[in-house]
Amino acid sequence: MRGPERRAALSAVVLCVAAAVAAEWDAWRPSGKCAISPAPCPAGEVEIENRSVYNICPGCVKTLGENENCDVNSDPCPHSFVCEGGKCLKGECRKEQDKEHATWTPKCDRISNFMPVQCKGSRGDGRCFCWSPKGERLFGEAAWTDATETNMHCSCSLRAWQLKQEGKGAHEAPRCAADGSFEALQCARGVCWCADAKTGAPIRRVVPEGAARLLFCCECSAPHLCAAPFARAN
């Protein structure tokens, strides 16, 4: 095989390999996101973002033990523990979990923040409440049913709490429904929109506050019904 032919063949091989790598990348990361659902981590390990598959998918990492030395470069502390003073210590939520004779057991995230929805009592006759990461009761509650833990997210109440932590005034706080989700109609800085209940983001055209009556947000039972601007849902 002559020099030019050899170079052409090598270029073809390189292009094939590049195409294969690109295809593999797209399979794992469509639209820049991990496309696989990782298996649960075994005991003694926690899931960490961007630790496997081209550093874009979560992976399991072995944790340190209670009171072990820790820093920003070490392995993570156990679930619901925090690195304080160079040691893995129980976070506030974990301390509440471990209290004897507690009337309820809170749910904690990996770094011992309180989960947004906390339920007390029992399913069927108990109630679920909105909670701040620091353990403060927030606005928002609902009866504890089979669907509550799936459908209740308290995102509006959490957003209002975050704005308060940032020193923002009450006029910037979103309007929250009774269960802590975003109300259908949101207005701020002179404009209004029909909002997604979980994110508060507009699901149809944003209009001046004076035209809010044309939105008919409360009659939109699904985002696709609100797609046409100013269209009343049937």
Side-chain angles (χ1 to χ4, degrees):
M1 184 180 293
R2 297 179 180 179
E5 294 174 342
R6 185 180 296 109
R7 286 193 295 272
L10 181 59
S11 296
V13 171
V14 171
L15 289 174
C16 287
V17 172
V21 171
E24 183 181 5
W25 176 269
D26 289 339
W28 290 117
R29 191 179 184 179
S31 303
K33 296 181 180 180
C34 180
I36 63 173
S37 298
C41 294
E45 296 185 8
V46 294
E47 184 177 287
I48 301 294
E49 293 294 327
N50 306 326
R51 292 302 291 262
S52 65
V53 189
Y54 302 113
N55 287 328
I56 61 170
C57 290
C60 296
V61 177
K62 185 178 180 180
T63 62
L64 301 172
E66 184 175 0
N67 293 319
E68 281 198 61
N69 295 331
C70 60
D71 57 41
V72 293
N73 297 314
S74 68
D75 288 332
C77 292
H79 188 279
S80 69
F81 278 65
V82 292
C83 185
E84 291 184 355
K87 298 284 186 180
C88 286
L89 305 175
K90 292 180 180 179
E92 291 304 315
C93 186
R94 179 58 181 266
K95 291 177 183 177
E96 288 293 324
Q97 282 186 331
D98 291 348
K99 281 185 177 179
E100 294 185 7
H101 310 298
T103 57
W104 68 293
T105 302
K107 291 185 176 181
C108 312
D109 68 9
R110 192 182 68 79
I111 57 174
S112 202
N113 287 327
F114 288 78
M115 297 294 287
V117 179
Q118 302 284 344
C119 298
K120 298 183 179 183
S122 58
R123 187 178 285 104
D125 58 7
R127 295 193 68 79
C128 295
F129 306 91
C130 294
W131 226 255
S132 81
K134 304 302 180 184
E136 304 161 297
R137 167 77 186 279
L138 302 178
F139 174 81
E141 62 179 274
W144 189 358
T145 66
D146 290 338
T148 302
E149 291 180 273
T150 300
N151 298 329
M152 188 175 179
H153 36 72
C154 296
S155 52
C156 182
S157 296
L158 279 175
R159 180 57 182 157
W161 178 83
Q162 290 167 351
L163 289 171
K164 185 177 180 180
Q165 305 309 300
E166 296 169 5
K168 302 293 178 62
H171 64 283
E172 294 193 40
R175 299 169 61 177
C176 301
D179 65 352
S181 62
F182 286 89
E183 282 193 353
L185 177 65
Q186 295 289 327
C187 296
R189 300 179 182 179
V191 296
C192 297
W193 63 93
C194 292
D196 180 271
K198 186 173 183 178
T199 66
I203 56 176
R204 63 190 302 178
R205 180 183 296 180
V206 176
V207 302
E209 192 167 355
R213 60 185 177 80
L214 301 175
L215 290 174
F216 304 113
C217 296
C218 295
E219 299 180 36
C220 290
S221 59
H224 72 276
L225 297 177
C226 300
F230 311 125
R232 183 187 294 270
N234 295 321

